[in-house]
Amino acid sequence: MESGDAARLGPGRAARSPPPRLLLLPLLPLLLGRGLRVAASASSGAAAEDSSAMEELATEKEAEESHRQDSVSLLTFILLLTLTILTIWLFKHRRVRFLHETGLAMIYGLIVGVILRYGTPATSGHDKSLSCTQEDRAFSTLLVNVSGKFFEYTLKGEISPGKINSVEQNDMLRKVTFDPEVFFNILLPPIIFHAGYSLKKRHFFRNLGSILAYAFLGTAVSCFIIGNLMYGVVKLMKLVGQLSDKFYYTDCLFFGAIISATDPVTVLAIFNELHADVDLYALLFGESVLNDAVAIVLSSSIVAYQPAGLNTHAFDAAAFFKSVGIFLGIFSGSFTMGAVTGVVTALVTKFTKLHCFPLLETALFFLMSWSTFLLAEACGFTGVVAVLFCGITQAHYTYNNLSVESRSRTKQLFEVLHFLAENFIFSYMGLALFTFQKHVFSPVFIIGAFVAIFLGRAAHIYPLSFFLNLGRRHKIGWNFQHMMMFSGLRGAMAFALAIRDTASYARQMMFTTTLLIVFFTVWVIGGGTTPMLSWLNIRVGVDPDQDPPPNNDSFQVLQGDGPDSARGNRTKQESAWLFRLWYSFDHNYLKPILTHSGPPLTTTLPAWCGLLARCLTSPQVYDNQEPLREEDSDFILTEGDLTLTYGDSTVTANGSSGSHTASTSLEGSRRTKSSSEEVLDRALGIGDQPVSSRGTRLVFPLEDNA
């Protein structure tokens, strides 16, 4: 009844007097919707927090995995070096000379590279490629907005379209591929500094003119010959369809510059072990040291070659001379910076009492030497040149101011760093053959490069030796020339220059070819050094402090009728007026200013500089506590000072001879000496004292004035 009445009343009455529970029915969807939205909001917030927590956890796991892979990659190289050292000991114990330690390191690197390439699975994948068609250049750093979160990406290099699907997906292989700047800023400085710091000055300066000719003129000749020959090879490759991208003439010259950097480390190590002829060792070592510096500056000048106009690779005389100016400016600036750093270190060690704290003294010496490289690079110069001449300056001046402990420590420290860095680089070379992702193997280019470097080396050695022999009294014999031609190995510097820029197709082909050339020269030429020495009849077992006998082509004892004739028949290095002029200036002024040795400045400077002379002269010089320690003191002596004994006869500079003489004497009163020579004699304590002789080696009896 009630329900029927209610129905008849219509909806109006029903709306006016509904039951209380019916009033909640229209609000139920609204309340339920609001509750659902609140619940959904709460659940979405919780999900976002969970997602953020998961992302942080994933990031931490990725960082931990990356750290683990970094440790594994460094451990790999340490184990390689350890295995190399143990094998070197075995080879030395068994007297094996057919393979040098650097070649051994390369072999171990190749083995590890094969294992990493083909024995480890892919551990990561790449996401889809993002197109940035509106940009006309690549960015070194890229910020990507992904759902409101910004991620930073760094540029790894260009990938050719044909290799987009073969990009390395193995994180371990990426980890063992080092940034090229690691080689330049960390590994190269100790190698180059050690070359300058351990330089044997006596034989180096005796052949300085020839070394400079080989290093500067010879490297330039080799660069242009190789560059032009390789340009012909590139034209041939283009003609037969073997060239898939651009390869300019400047690229060929750049390849000629980097591949002209010789590194006969294998040959020099065998020379040192066998005590080969010291003049040949000095020529090869001096050329390789300065040659590296010239090659890197020459390559920088070629890169800086920018002709005016639309064709940036055409010849332009203005751009050419600008590049020559850049070469001279970079080299002279780097040389000055290295020498100045060495002078500053010498002054600091002289006028402070750091020698009382050998640890601090060694640390300062190490930091000042290494900072020279970085300072030169930061100023736009070449760190290789700067650190080389810094090492030479440190050895000539700063070394005299160091305490006995610091001298031993610095020598051993840089020797160990040189050994480890060099073997690390050669191990990495073997590894890079399989782990590097941008190889471009071109048989035509590789064969042409081998022919070009052979012809470039021949055009470098033989013509220059001919012209040098016109002015040398110590002729560079044919056996020396053949050995220098044979010893043109390529090594760490060529590799470091090639790997520094592998962005373009041309640079990638250069890097691959350079790597193969280094392998061949180290294994084949390095292994054939000992047989070549025997075949060319080059003396071994020579005392480095002993001059060659008179019947050797590289040494002569000249006779005359008197002092004037003897003075006119001096050997080339003894009459090197430029060296004697520099030595006199260095002995009288620079050595007293920068070290505790040499004559007091009060006796060499004018009287009006008395105050300055007293301030700069070390008290040790007045007290005569540290006499002159000069390895090159024999350059001041001429034939008039010496009586050389060979076999049963004694030959003097004035032509007199005797039989069965077993002593060598200095006859200081035979001629009038210059002031610097008299000071040197007094500092050495020789005067008219007899000097005992062992064969042809002069042993000066120094007095202990302490």
Side-chain angles (χ1 to χ4, degrees):
M1 296 289 294
E2 293 179 358
S3 60
D5 293 339
R8 286 193 296 267
L9 289 175
R13 292 187 62 179
R16 285 194 296 266
S17 58
R21 62 177 180 270
L22 295 179
L23 290 174
L24 298 176
L25 292 177
L27 300 176
L28 186 60
L30 180 62
L31 295 175
L32 289 175
R34 182 175 297 176
L36 290 173
R37 285 196 296 270
V38 172
S41 176
S43 62
S44 63
E49 292 179 358
D50 293 341
S51 176
S52 178
M54 293 295 292
E55 289 180 359
E56 292 180 358
L57 182 61
T59 303
E60 291 178 358
K61 288 184 177 180
E62 290 179 0
E64 183 178 353
E65 180 66 18
S66 177
H67 174 72
R68 186 187 67 81
Q69 291 176 353
D70 288 336
S71 301
V72 171
S73 63
L74 291 176
L75 179 63
T76 301
F77 285 102
I78 290 177
L79 291 178
L80 276 175
L81 292 176
T82 304
L83 186 60
T84 302
I85 291 173
L86 293 176
T87 313
I88 290 171
W89 168 81
L90 181 63
F91 277 26
K92 289 184 179 295
H93 182 67
R94 299 293 182 181
R95 299 183 183 276
V96 177
R97 295 194 180 97
F98 68 88
L99 185 64
H100 187 249
E101 60 199 42
T102 53
L104 199 61
M106 293 171 70
I107 292 177
Y108 288 144
L110 283 171
I111 296 173
V112 174
V114 171
I115 295 174
L116 291 177
R117 163 58 63 187
Y118 301 107
T120 56
T123 56
S124 68
H126 286 281
D127 295 331
K128 64 179 182 179
S129 301
L130 299 177
S131 298
C132 300
T133 56
Q134 296 180 355
E135 301 297 336
D136 57 354
R137 65 183 181 90
F139 296 95
S140 59
T141 303
L142 193 64
L143 294 178
V144 180
N145 186 350
V146 181
S147 300
K149 295 182 179 180
F150 290 89
F151 297 89
E152 181 182 3
Y153 295 86
T154 57
L155 179 67
K156 296 292 292 185
E158 182 182 2
I159 302 172
S160 60
K163 296 184 178 181
I164 190 66
N165 295 322
S166 60
V167 177
E168 184 52 56
Q169 297 186 5
N170 192 322
D171 286 338
M172 190 60 199
L173 293 183
R174 291 184 195 167
K175 293 293 184 181
V176 297
T177 303
F178 285 94
D179 187 341
E181 294 303 315
V182 171
F183 292 97
F184 264 80
N185 296 330
I186 297 178
L187 298 178
L188 273 185
I191 295 176
I192 303 300
F193 182 85
H194 178 264
Y197 194 53
S198 62
L199 186 69
K200 295 180 179 180
K201 294 179 292 181
R202 176 188 178 192
H203 304 291
F204 178 83
F205 286 105
R206 186 164 67 185
N207 297 279
L208 182 60
S210 301
I211 290 173
L212 292 177
Y214 285 127
F216 284 87
L217 187 58
T219 303
V221 169
S222 177
C223 168
F224 283 98
I225 289 180
I226 293 175
N228 283 279
L229 290 176
M230 292 312 298
Y231 188 64
V233 173
V234 168
K235 288 293 185 183
L236 177 63
M237 292 173 60
K238 186 176 182 180
L239 187 64
V240 299
Q242 294 272 331
L243 198 65
S244 59
D245 208 339
K246 297 177 181 179
F247 209 117
Y248 298 106
Y249 178 68
T250 51
D251 294 326
C252 296
L253 286 180
F254 179 81
F255 178 73
I258 65 175
I259 208 65
S260 295
T262 60
D263 186 16
V265 57
T266 305
V267 176
L268 292 176
I270 295 175
F271 278 14
N272 192 42
E273 185 177 353
L274 297 178
H275 299 289
D277 191 285
V278 290
D279 283 329
L280 177 60
Y281 183 93
L283 287 172
L284 273 176
F285 179 78
E287 181 208 357
S288 66
V289 168
L290 296 179
N291 162 274
D292 288 347
V294 174
I296 189 173
V297 179
L298 192 59
S299 63
S300 300
S301 303
I302 294 173
V303 171
Y305 177 78
Q306 294 293 337
L310 297 178
N311 190 355
T312 58
H313 296 276
F315 177 77
D316 186 352
F320 172 77
F321 287 109
K322 181 180 178 182
S323 296
V324 173
I326 291 175
F327 173 85
L328 297 176
I330 291 178
F331 196 93
S332 58
S334 303
F335 165 78
T336 303
M337 187 167 292
V340 167
T341 307
V343 167
V344 170
T345 311
L347 291 174
V348 170
T349 53
K350 176 184 177 181
F351 291 105
T352 61
K353 293 186 179 296
L354 276 174
H355 63 272
C356 299
F357 306 94
L359 179 61
L360 300 180
E361 190 178 36
T362 305
L364 178 67
F365 183 91
F366 175 81
L367 293 177
M368 291 290 289
S369 302
W370 200 305
S371 63
T372 305
F373 183 92
L374 301 178
L375 179 62
E377 291 289 334
C379 294
F381 297 110
T382 300
V384 170
V385 179
V387 79
L388 170 64
F389 288 100
C390 176
I392 296 175
T393 307
Q394 301 277 47
H396 192 61
Y397 297 114
T398 310
Y399 183 81
N400 295 312
N401 300 333
L402 300 179
S403 60
V404 177
E405 295 87 346
S406 295
R407 292 177 196 170
S408 176
R409 286 177 180 177
T410 54
K411 286 282 189 182
Q412 294 175 359
L413 173 63
F414 281 101
E415 186 175 3
V416 170
L417 290 177
H418 164 264
F419 173 81
L420 293 177
E422 192 168 58
N423 282 278
F424 183 93
I425 290 178
F426 279 94
S427 297
Y428 185 79
M429 288 184 196
L431 204 68
L433 187 63
F434 292 97
T435 60
F436 189 72
Q437 292 301 297
K438 300 176 182 179
H439 283 303
V440 177
F441 290 94
S442 175
V444 177
F445 191 86
I446 293 170
I447 295 174
F450 274 99
V451 175
I453 64 173
F454 177 82
L455 296 177
R457 184 70 178 172
H460 168 184
I461 295 297
Y462 295 115
L464 274 181
S465 299
F466 171 78
F467 288 110
L468 288 172
N469 282 337
L470 296 178
R472 283 178 61 103
R473 194 170 298 274
H474 298 300
K475 307 299 182 183
I476 303 174
W478 284 106
N479 56 345
F480 280 18
Q481 295 179 40
H482 295 330
M483 194 67 214
M484 293 179 69
M485 169 69 189
F486 179 79
S487 303
L489 285 77
R490 271 62 177 177
M493 180 57 68
F495 173 79
L497 288 173
I499 200 176
R500 197 173 192 183
D501 182 6
T502 56
S504 65
Y505 168 82
R507 298 298 176 88
Q508 293 167 10
M509 187 183 295
M510 293 180 202
F511 172 72
T512 303
T513 305
T514 301
L515 200 58
L516 295 178
I517 290 173
V518 172
F519 285 161
F520 177 83
T521 55
V522 170
W523 287 338
V524 177
I525 297 180
T529 301
T530 303
M532 186 61 69
L533 283 172
S534 176
W535 185 64
L536 294 175
N537 295 322
I538 295 176
R539 297 186 312 138
V540 295
V542 179
D543 186 350
D545 295 327
Q546 177 179 343
D547 286 322
N551 58 356
N552 189 285
D553 292 338
S554 62
F555 184 84
Q556 296 179 3
V557 177
L558 303 177
Q559 298 185 8
D561 296 330
D564 295 336
S565 176
R567 198 173 299 116
N569 289 329
R570 292 171 183 169
T571 58
K572 187 66 177 178
Q573 74 270 15
E574 290 165 336
S575 61
W577 63 271
L578 182 61
F579 175 79
R580 293 174 62 82
L581 182 65
W582 157 253
Y583 186 89
S584 178
F585 176 77
D586 176 63
H587 172 67
N588 290 331
Y589 302 105
L590 294 184
K591 274 297 186 71
I593 293 175
L594 301 177
T595 68
H596 298 297
S597 58
L601 289 173
T602 52
T603 62
T604 58
L605 288 177
W608 56 271
C609 297
L611 179 61
L612 180 64
R614 287 190 294 272
C615 293
L616 294 178
T617 303
S618 173
Q620 285 88 336
V621 175
Y622 294 109
D623 298 338
N624 202 20
Q625 294 179 357
E626 293 192 17
L628 178 66
R629 293 183 300 270
E630 177 54 61
E631 298 176 359
D632 298 329
S633 58
D634 59 331
F635 284 103
I636 289 193
L637 304 176
T638 61
E639 291 90 343
D641 301 311
L642 298 176
T643 301
L644 300 178
T645 302
Y646 295 109
D648 296 332
S649 62
T650 301
V651 181
T652 62
N654 61 359
S656 61
S657 62
S659 60
H660 302 283
T661 305
S663 65
T664 303
S665 63
L666 288 174
E667 299 177 349
S669 60
R670 185 172 297 175
R671 63 181 177 85
T672 304
K673 298 182 178 180
S674 64
S675 60
S676 62
E677 292 170 339
E678 293 174 353
V679 172
L680 179 63
D681 285 349
R682 290 197 301 270
L684 287 172
I686 50 181
D688 296 330
Q689 300 180 18
V691 182
S692 60
S693 172
R694 302 169 186 169
T696 59
R697 181 178 180 180
L698 300 179
V699 182
F700 295 93
L702 301 180
E703 294 180 352
D704 187 6
N705 298 319

